[in-house]
Amino acid sequence: MTDLQLMTLDVNGEEHEVVAESRRTLVDVLRHDLRLTGTHVGCEHGICGACTVLVDDRPVRACLMFAAQAEGTRIRTVESLSQGTGECELSDLQRAFSEHHGLQCGFCTPGFLMLAEGFLAERPDASKEEIREVVAANLCRCTGYQTIVEAIDDCAAARRRAGKEN
Amino acid sequence: MTPRSTEDRLVGRSVARREDPRLLTGRGRFVDDIALPGMLHAQFVRSTVAHAEVTAVDLSAVRQVPGVVAAFTAADLGLGDITARLDRPLTEFVPTAMPVLARDRVRYVGEPLAIVVARDAYAAEDGLEAAKVSYAPLAPVTCEDEALAEGAPLLHDAAPRNTLVDVSLFASEGIDAVFAAAPCVVHVDSRTGRQNALPLETRGTVAHWDDREEQLVLETCTQVPHQVRTVAARCLGLDERAVRVRVPDMGGGFGLKCVVGREEIAAAAAALRLRRPVKWIEDRKDALTASFLAREQHYDVRAAFDAEGRILGLDADVVCDMGAYSCYPFTAGIEPLMASAEMPGVYKVPAYRVRGRAITTNKAPTAPYRGVSRPQYVMVVERLFERAARELGLDPVEIRRRNVITDFPYTGVNGITYDPGSYREALDLCERTVREEGWYEKQAAAAAEGRHLGIGYSCFSERTGYGSTAFAQRKMEVVPGFDLSEVRMDTSGAVTVTTGTMSHGQSHETTMAQIVADELGLPLAKVKLHQGDTDRITYGWGTFASRSITVGGSAVRLAAAELGKKLRRIAAARWGVAPEETECGEGCVRRRDEPAVSLSYEQLAEIAYLKAHLLPKDIAPGLTGTAAFDVFNDGTFSNATHACVVELHEGTGQVEILRYLCVEDCGVAINPQVVEGQCRGGIAQGIAGALFEQVTYDAQGEPSATGFMDYKVPTAHEIPDVAIHHLETPCAFTETGAKGAGEGGTIGAPAAVLNAVNDALRTTGVELDHTPITPEAVHNALRRQRTLEHTR
Amino acid sequence: MKPAPFRYHRARSTEDATRLLAELGADAKVIAGGQSLVAMMNYRLARPAHLVDIGGLRALDHLHRDADGGLHIGALTTHHTVETAPPGVLEPGFGVLRRAMRWIGHLPIRTRGTVGGSLAHADATAEWCLLAVALGAELVAEGPHGRRRIRAEDFFFGYYTTALDPGELLVEAVFPRPAPHAALTEFAERHGDFAIVAAAIDLDAEDGSVRGGRVALGGVAPATVRVPEAEAVLAGGGTFAECAAAAADASDPPGDANGSPEYRRHLIRTLVRRACEEAMSP
């Protein structure tokens, strides 16, 4: 029994038509059907967060969603973060991760970036403790988390400063 | 003599990582990101029982499943076994032949029996469900007591008492008399939980046959590409030339990926059979149950002290539960031999006896995991010192001070010569920091309120830069140690560096480039590192044992120096002076006597390649420098002292880490930020082992942890911030003065955490020596104290 | 860890959903946020032949007070919507719900997971199950034969089983009266995990004095339970410590890898007391 779905997915502002089995998870469709391989797979049961993407601006686990469920939503992946600022320009959040050494092997990093991107958009005034609690949503095996928390906190602070100046 | 003044040097600076832009933008290329035309997807039929004769593997229904393209058993593929050996007599070491796919016997739940290849990973899993395997069950052996019991069922007929390794490396004469006469003898019996190193990226491979190159290409996430090539060639009956291992970006390894897996060989065999690319990506359930585990050890150790707290002797029995098979290339000896060789550690131990054993059980096999045995024996030795201090009424830091090695080089009872370090200085600075931060006062104040604060230390060194000589002492059949590098300059003056090491998070693309850039006076952007391709690098031993910067970094620097020499010879010939009268400067070679006279690297490269007629006859065209580096002594020792402050919560038994300090010395830090990253990440893994992570097996040999609900990898909520202080005792014999920094954090953390927890429990009469320490264990200890108070 | 095949059905309305469920029978499962179901399907521990996706039924995504001060939460309301609801909707009276949300998994789980999904999944330690039992919620089910209301304490039967009939859809949770003195707390080894023990308390208090209350526990029985013995202590003017001790004594928790019965009783004592104190703190 093959149950195929014809889906239209809005990913990073582009519309994609995909025919895929209904059992295909969003992360598999993003990675293997649309070849957006920046989003990673770490556990396929919703705990590690390597597959975190934004759905309608909110961070979600792309391994716990069937792609069919994502029709009619706006999906954003790590590939969208540095768009609009030149070929290899990093966003302020990405720069903060690099400056603080918030990544080593880099496998969990896209998940943390999208988690932070979604969270800071909603809570630009988040305290460091609140950031730490949100960072606890994803697993990293390399960094010990401290520099991830510091990177996000630093980025949030810089955005607040920039907001005041404008 | 390097072209840069101290202040201009890149080595020692936290320059931005070369790896970051691609990894931050999602443009990294990990193994599962690879897609080749016509690629198929593999999964494995795995044993559902721990121990059995396999009477039949029927794949006929599998082949009927929609989407399944092929399915193979061991008999279908006829592959050679993976057998790792030590050069020791059978009384000391029994090799195990690990088949790529199990044939007539399975020895753990999860052991691969057949490979199913399908159009996608979903159909492959559908195929697995259709496999029919018949078993004649055998009694499972699931723990040390069962394995060593008289008349126990045997996993391997050649291994009586289920013992793969039984070696007594040291037995000081008269040690029994030392213990008999000692005023203070303390004992620790400690068991440590079986762990998974848990790189966030699971194992995986994409295998395909390249007709044009007549080569099997294996794109595999491995720390040891050349060793994978060797095993693949042997198992498949190919010349090594006909196998190319390429390593994409890697999502961590931590030792789990420094052994050769069965699945990558089976996937390669399937790709050869089908002449189509085959991808295998391990899922998390298999990664937890059927991959390589580590660290399940039992220590029974006594230490003798004199009345002043000086250690007189150490008497240890170590049993490591290595699971079903020896891993390649390290063998089941990896854990017991590491513990046996290194246990005296930072202390002046006059008498030492040790017996190290590896037992085989019906559990997934083990691989080295960051620190290899050192997190465990450091924890045990540090517990012994704390216990002795308590018995003798000494301060726990003071007793360490009386015993740490202070005069270097120091040759220990274990025959190892320790190069200079800062053992005493690190201990003093760490304790001073704890005092200055007021933790002893806070502890006293908490005690007055009936709260339980504990302060714990751990003091250790870590051998890094094992050369061939040191590894040869382990008697491995294949002896790792050296590394090779080639530094090549192109016609534009840019440089390509190869190395046999394989970064998987350690930032080598940055740090190795820093070394080369300094050596040649080049900007970082002009230097590009290539690693992880067996066709581009003659040979290499990969990345493990904190060896990459010490050994690989030295080879890279020497190769760069060779290239520099050639550049100077060309320039000298142009000027008609001796090469000694020239030196490398910023992007050029210049005359020593007249520094304004120089030839840029671009000009020299133009001569070397495009105007070779200008070269004197004794200088060949082209610009490369090659070098090998090996360590001929006992290696170099990084050292550190950690301090941990915990509070135990009576209401839940929870251990809360209030403060974590690390004073570390890894010699010259090529990139301090990278070193700190290694420390912090290592400490997080050490804390994870001390308090959270464990794979248990039930009496039938069924593993408990199939996901992250059960295998409790700690999060940002559990892992504290870590304050790091650096000391620097440069290594005298590595080319950069660096010592290794990859494992220290993990080695020191369990001891510091356990000592802190036990310090907080000091009034209870309970000591917790097994890991992981669970909240329930803490609760039980505190409950005992409440009962004691009640009866008083 | 890829799910087994299934047929996907997108419900256009609640009627459509209940009709599909009736038609497809026992092999069908409802998917809302899918935060528990998809994980189980990836492990192939759940393998429904049909999935009925109710995610598009925006009518079930609502959060509002009624004229009597009761709170109505549509089944498709996410935990995150509750967590970030405008103050006027929850406060006064239902601040406990907002505070309790931080115990549910992590942010990316809360953005997808729904109140109805959590209640219908009926994990004994699920926060919404505890809140529903402690606060005396009524759960509204819609089936082929219309709507009915089920009291929360009658809703949870045992391990992942509820009073919902096949073909019935949980559409709304109604919290009939404000709970100004209520709290939920729990303990797990790792923050965000399923609790070893969880406790929710709704105290009946005025001017700082407690006249009674409801006590709900998770992790001590196959389903979320009320503990009448502990409630009797509250009604009889006992202290929070006595209430907590009564809750522990009255419970017969299971022992497993996450904790022995004795340890779970200890946690009950700690958490019931902690929840009571938090419920009374301003």
Side-chain angles (χ1 to χ4, degrees):
Chain A
M1 178 188 80
T2 306
D3 188 37
L4 292 175
Q5 296 287 323
L6 168 63
M7 301 174 253
T8 308
L9 296 178
D10 174 350
V11 185
N12 302 332
E14 264 182 66
E15 290 228 327
H16 299 266
E17 289 207 329
V18 187
V19 178
E21 272 192 278
S22 24
R23 61 171 163 167
R24 266 177 107 72
T25 55
L26 176 60
V27 71
D28 279 346
V29 167
L30 289 172
R31 287 178 48 76
H32 301 304
D33 297 72
L34 304 184
R35 297 295 300 148
L36 292 167
T37 54
T39 305
H40 296 151
V41 174
C43 76
E44 294 180 293
H45 56 288
I47 300 200
C48 81
C51 67
T52 305
V53 299
L54 299 186
V55 171
D56 290 337
D57 304 325
R58 302 264 154 77
V60 309
R61 307 292 205 219
C63 73
L64 292 188
M65 236 179 128
F66 295 111
Q69 291 175 282
E71 262 202 304
T73 67
R74 280 171 294 111
I75 300 158
R76 271 188 72 197
T77 68
V78 68
E79 284 88 350
S80 73
L81 284 184
S82 53
Q83 268 179 13
T85 47
E87 178 61 19
C88 222
E89 282 281 310
L90 300 179
S91 75
D92 56 347
L93 181 65
Q94 290 167 317
R95 279 199 310 276
F97 267 66
S98 185
E99 281 159 15
H100 288 268
H101 195 24
L103 69 158
Q104 290 180 25
C105 79
F107 192 80
C108 69
T109 309
F112 276 105
L113 287 169
M114 299 318 286
L115 177 70
E117 181 77 3
F119 177 63
L120 290 185
E122 183 177 296
R123 292 290 320 282
D125 294 324
S127 69
K128 193 166 178 182
E129 271 324 291
E130 289 170 318
I131 289 169
R132 177 174 284 278
E133 180 147 344
V134 167
V135 166
N138 288 10
L139 297 181
C140 167
R141 195 59 164 174
C142 294
T143 62
Y145 304 107
Q146 179 177 342
T147 52
I148 297 177
V149 173
E150 287 169 354
I152 299 170
D153 185 48
D154 202 25
C155 174
R159 285 182 187 180
R160 287 194 293 267
R161 279 196 304 273
K164 271 182 202 143
E165 279 162 23
N166 293 341
Chain B
M1 182 77 182
T2 64
R4 285 197 167 130
S5 60
T6 317
E7 53 271 28
D8 291 338
R9 261 184 226 158
L10 294 173
V11 164
R13 276 166 51 188
S14 298
V15 303
R17 294 205 323 159
R18 290 285 286 276
E19 293 88 344
D20 284 351
R22 71 172 188 274
L23 296 173
L24 285 162
T25 49
R27 295 184 190 128
R29 184 163 164 274
F30 295 87
V31 64
D32 192 29
D33 301 342
I34 296 167
L36 298 177
M39 187 171 76
L40 299 171
H41 298 258
Q43 279 302 338
F44 289 85
V45 177
R46 295 182 182 275
S47 176
T48 54
V49 297
H51 200 189
E53 302 284 350
V54 179
T55 52
V57 182
D58 178 2
L59 303 180
S60 50
V62 176
R63 298 186 180 107
Q64 304 307 312
V65 170
V68 169
V69 173
F72 303 108
T73 63
D76 297 331
L77 296 177
L79 301 169
D81 295 341
I82 304 173
T83 309
R85 291 173 207 277
L86 293 179
D87 191 11
R88 289 183 181 275
L90 271 178
T91 50
E92 292 187 344
F93 173 73
V94 181
T96 57
M98 180 163 74
V100 172
L101 294 172
R103 287 185 291 264
D104 46 4
R105 183 89 170 259
V106 284
R107 294 184 173 86
Y108 60 95
V109 171
E111 180 156 9
L113 279 153
I115 180 169
V116 175
V117 185
R119 67 165 184 245
D120 63 28
Y122 290 74
E125 268 193 57
D126 297 344
L128 302 188
E129 294 187 323
K132 292 187 189 70
V133 183
S134 309
Y135 304 99
L138 299 166
V141 175
T142 61
C143 62
E144 178 194 344
D145 289 348
E146 284 177 12
L148 295 176
E150 207 62 57
L154 294 184
L155 267 83
H156 301 276
D157 295 340
R161 297 179 75 83
N162 291 308
T163 300
L164 300 181
V165 174
D166 189 349
V167 179
S168 187
L169 284 186
F170 302 98
S172 299
E173 220 168 286
I175 190 167
D176 286 316
V178 168
F179 272 83
C184 169
V185 173
V186 288
H187 175 230
V188 165
D189 190 290
S190 171
R191 289 172 193 272
T192 57
R194 201 172 191 81
Q195 275 186 269
N196 187 304
L198 213 123
L200 210 57
E201 178 202 40
T202 56
R203 297 180 300 150
T205 198
V206 175
H208 79 276
W209 178 259
D210 184 325
D211 274 311
R212 193 158 166 271
E213 298 294 336
E214 296 175 10
Q215 259 187 336
L216 170 74
V217 181
L218 270 177
E219 301 192 81
T220 296
C221 48
T222 178
Q223 299 168 232
V224 288
H226 284 87
Q227 285 68 57
V228 172
R229 181 180 73 176
T230 297
V231 172
R234 283 186 195 171
C235 289
L236 297 163
L238 297 169
D239 290 341
E240 284 217 23
R241 182 218 62 77
V243 180
R244 179 180 191 177
V245 176
R246 272 205 311 242
V247 186
D249 280 324
M250 261 174 85
F254 314 116
L256 189 147
K257 295 176 183 168
C258 79
V259 298
V260 182
R262 309 157 81 163
E263 291 87 348
E264 55 224 42
I265 309 297
L272 287 183
R273 267 305 170 88
L274 300 166
R275 282 294 194 268
R276 283 178 74 173
V278 172
K279 175 190 272 192
W280 165 66
I281 301 297
E282 181 177 53
D283 67 25
R284 185 55 66 187
K285 178 168 177 276
D286 287 348
L288 283 167
T289 58
S291 165
F292 293 93
L293 303 172
R295 300 242 206 276
E296 186 173 10
Q297 304 186 343
H298 179 202
Y299 285 79
D300 188 349
V301 187
R302 293 183 309 148
F305 288 84
D306 70 14
E308 277 75 50
R310 274 181 290 270
I311 190 165
L312 302 171
L314 195 59
D315 187 12
D317 189 344
V318 186
V319 178
C320 305
D321 183 341
M322 304 306 284
Y325 299 97
S326 265
C327 62
Y328 187 94
F330 298 96
T331 80
I334 178 90
E335 288 191 357
L337 294 177
M338 176 69 92
S340 299
E342 316 271 338
M343 196 179 305
V346 290
Y347 298 114
K348 292 174 280 189
V349 179
Y352 177 44
R353 177 165 63 195
V354 64
R355 180 185 185 189
R357 279 177 285 175
I359 56 161
T360 178
T361 57
N362 291 114
K363 302 177 188 172
T366 47
Y369 172 23
R370 200 174 196 174
V372 184
S373 289
R374 289 166 290 187
Q376 287 70 46
Y377 79 67
V378 166
M379 186 178 92
V380 169
V381 169
E382 293 296 290
R383 294 293 306 129
L384 287 166
F385 272 89
E386 294 266 327
R387 211 161 277 186
R390 206 173 292 181
E391 285 216 0
L392 293 165
L394 287 170
D395 176 83
V397 174
E398 178 55 29
I399 194 172
R400 290 179 170 92
R401 215 169 264 139
R402 290 179 190 182
N403 286 284
V404 291
I405 301 163
T406 47
D407 296 319
F408 298 97
Y410 174 89
T411 300
V413 66
N414 49 358
I416 295 173
T417 299
Y418 296 79
D419 68 332
S422 54
Y423 302 180
R424 172 71 189 265
E425 294 82 350
L427 178 63
D428 289 347
L429 175 56
C430 195
E431 190 206 25
R432 196 163 68 236
T433 310
V434 171
R435 288 201 183 283
E436 283 170 3
E437 291 185 3
W439 287 106
Y440 287 97
E441 288 80 3
K442 287 176 196 162
Q443 182 180 34
E449 296 167 16
R451 287 158 55 218
H452 312 276
L453 250 68
I455 299 169
Y457 293 90
S458 76
C459 216
F460 63 95
S461 67
E462 172 205 358
R463 171 142 56 149
T464 71
Y466 282 84
S468 311
T469 318
F471 270 118
Q473 284 165 3
R474 296 280 165 85
K475 303 194 175 176
M476 285 167 67
E477 189 194 41
V478 291
V479 183
F482 68 89
D483 233 295
L484 304 176
S485 175
E486 183 193 78
V487 179
R488 186 192 310 162
M489 186 174 276
D490 64 21
T491 52
S492 70
V495 155
T496 299
V497 183
T498 66
T499 173
T501 58
M502 184 58 233
S503 183
H504 44 288
Q506 297 91 337
S507 324
H508 296 168
E509 288 172 48
T510 308
T511 51
M512 298 280 192
Q514 285 177 264
I515 293 170
V516 170
D518 274 359
E519 187 60 36
L520 292 170
L522 284 169
L524 205 61
K526 285 276 188 192
V527 183
K528 174 64 189 165
L529 183 76
H530 280 287
Q531 53 187 345
D533 184 340
T534 56
D535 269 16
R536 288 183 79 164
I537 297 135
T538 324
Y539 205 80
W541 285 101
T543 287
F544 56 86
S546 304
R547 66 184 300 276
S548 297
I549 281 298
T550 51
V551 180
S554 292
V556 156
R557 180 169 179 204
L558 288 175
E562 281 302 309
L563 172 62
K565 260 188 221 162
K566 178 145 193 194
L567 288 162
R568 284 167 49 204
R569 282 180 65 205
I570 296 171
R574 297 297 299 154
W575 295 322
V577 302
E580 293 71 37
E581 289 170 50
T582 68
E583 62 186 12
C584 288
E586 284 294 331
C588 66
V589 174
R590 62 193 174 212
R591 284 182 69 147
R592 275 183 203 280
D593 55 350
E594 224 178 317
V597 177
S598 69
L599 281 165
S600 72
Y601 289 158
E602 289 89 332
Q603 290 170 313
L604 292 166
E606 191 180 20
I607 296 168
Y609 290 106
L610 306 179
K611 294 186 165 58
H613 61 282
L614 297 178
L615 290 171
K617 283 199 173 55
D618 63 337
I619 300 180
L623 283 176
T624 57
T626 59
F629 185 81
D630 201 349
V631 177
F632 298 101
N633 56 25
D634 288 333
T636 180
F637 287 77
S638 301
N639 67 273
T641 298
H642 291 192
C644 178
V645 185
V646 301
E647 177 162 7
L648 310 182
H649 294 286
E650 257 189 47
T652 56
Q654 189 198 350
V655 179
E656 184 186 359
I657 298 177
L658 304 177
R659 184 71 173 142
Y660 204 104
L661 294 167
C662 164
V663 178
E664 70 82 37
D665 185 344
C666 65
V668 172
I670 307 294
N671 184 319
Q673 194 178 43
V674 167
V675 167
E676 292 190 2
Q678 290 297 311
C679 284
R680 291 202 172 94
I683 287 166
Q685 291 187 12
I687 291 170
L691 297 176
F692 295 99
E693 295 174 5
Q694 185 175 21
V695 178
T696 59
Y697 285 76
D698 70 11
Q700 275 65 54
E702 184 76 32
S704 61
T706 58
F708 287 144
M709 302 279 205
D710 313 298
Y711 196 76
K712 298 187 174 85
V713 180
T715 72
H717 205 268
E718 286 76 40
I719 298 298
D721 283 356
V722 174
I724 299 172
H725 301 268
H726 297 287
L727 298 173
E728 187 177 304
T729 312
C731 176
F733 54 84
T734 59
E735 285 297 320
T736 57
K739 302 173 173 182
E743 298 168 279
T746 314
I747 293 169
V753 172
L754 252 73
N755 283 336
V757 169
N758 282 294
D759 185 45
L761 289 172
R762 63 200 173 282
T763 56
T764 65
V766 178
E767 294 194 41
L768 300 177
D769 292 325
H770 306 316
T771 57
I773 293 180
T774 62
E776 184 168 3
V778 171
H779 157 70
N780 287 336
L782 293 172
R783 181 168 61 135
R784 195 180 122 104
Q785 181 191 30
R786 284 193 297 276
T787 318
L788 284 176
E789 283 167 0
H790 206 66
T791 43
R792 259 181 221 134
Chain C
M1 292 183 63
K2 308 293 183 193
F6 57 82
R7 275 194 193 285
Y8 177 82
H9 308 267
R10 188 172 288 147
R12 310 286 160 195
S13 63
T14 50
E15 297 74 31
D16 191 29
T18 55
R19 183 187 55 74
L20 276 166
L21 289 173
E23 221 172 83
L24 300 168
D27 283 347
K29 266 271 194 202
V30 175
I31 185 164
Q35 298 301 285
S36 300
L37 181 61
V38 180
M40 289 167 74
M41 290 176 70
N42 287 352
Y43 274 100
R44 299 200 178 197
L45 295 171
R47 40 190 318 152
H50 300 274
L51 270 194
V52 176
D53 183 0
I54 60 168
L57 309 185
R58 294 339 297 169
L60 299 186
D61 178 5
H62 61 82
L63 181 64
H64 67 270
R65 300 290 277 266
D66 61 26
D68 303 326
L71 181 73
H72 295 242
I73 309 180
L76 278 186
T77 309
T78 65
H79 314 309
H80 185 253
T81 300
V82 176
E83 188 177 18
T84 57
V89 180
L90 295 180
E91 288 86 2
F94 288 104
V96 58
L97 300 182
R98 188 193 304 282
R99 291 191 299 275
M101 291 305 98
R102 67 175 284 268
W103 291 103
I104 303 180
H106 292 282
L107 174 65
I109 300 295
R110 299 197 288 268
T111 56
R112 286 287 300 164
T114 64
V115 177
S118 182
L119 289 164
H121 182 58
D123 185 292
T125 60
E127 291 74 11
W128 279 110
C129 299
L130 279 132
L131 293 166
V133 169
L135 273 59
E138 294 183 338
L139 307 179
V140 183
E142 186 169 319
H145 308 295
R147 285 196 170 207
R148 63 182 179 123
R149 280 191 175 210
I150 309 161
R151 293 197 312 164
E153 58 211 80
D154 302 328
F155 185 80
F156 304 109
F157 283 177
Y159 289 111
Y160 307 109
T161 50
T162 68
L164 284 178
D165 288 333
E168 265 187 328
L169 188 68
L170 182 64
V171 292
E172 190 177 74
V174 181
F175 291 79
R177 53 172 194 285
H181 302 294
L184 176 143
T185 191
E186 55 187 61
F187 180 71
E189 267 189 70
R190 208 173 35 172
H191 181 68
D193 281 1
F194 287 112
I196 302 172
V197 170
I201 310 286
D202 181 12
L203 294 176
D204 176 9
E206 207 163 354
D207 302 331
S209 75
V210 175
R211 291 188 302 226
R214 291 163 68 99
V215 178
L217 291 177
V220 307
T224 311
V225 291
R226 268 181 82 178
V227 194
E229 294 85 345
E231 294 177 0
V233 171
L234 291 175
T239 63
F240 291 156
E242 287 161 350
C243 168
D249 291 345
S251 300
D252 183 17
D256 58 27
N258 288 316
S260 66
E262 190 282 324
Y263 177 55
R264 280 197 158 88
R265 276 200 202 92
H266 176 73
L267 289 178
I268 295 170
R269 260 190 300 276
T270 299
L271 297 171
V272 167
R273 186 175 168 165
R274 197 177 278 173
C276 286
E277 285 164 358
E278 201 184 309
M280 287 307 290
S281 68

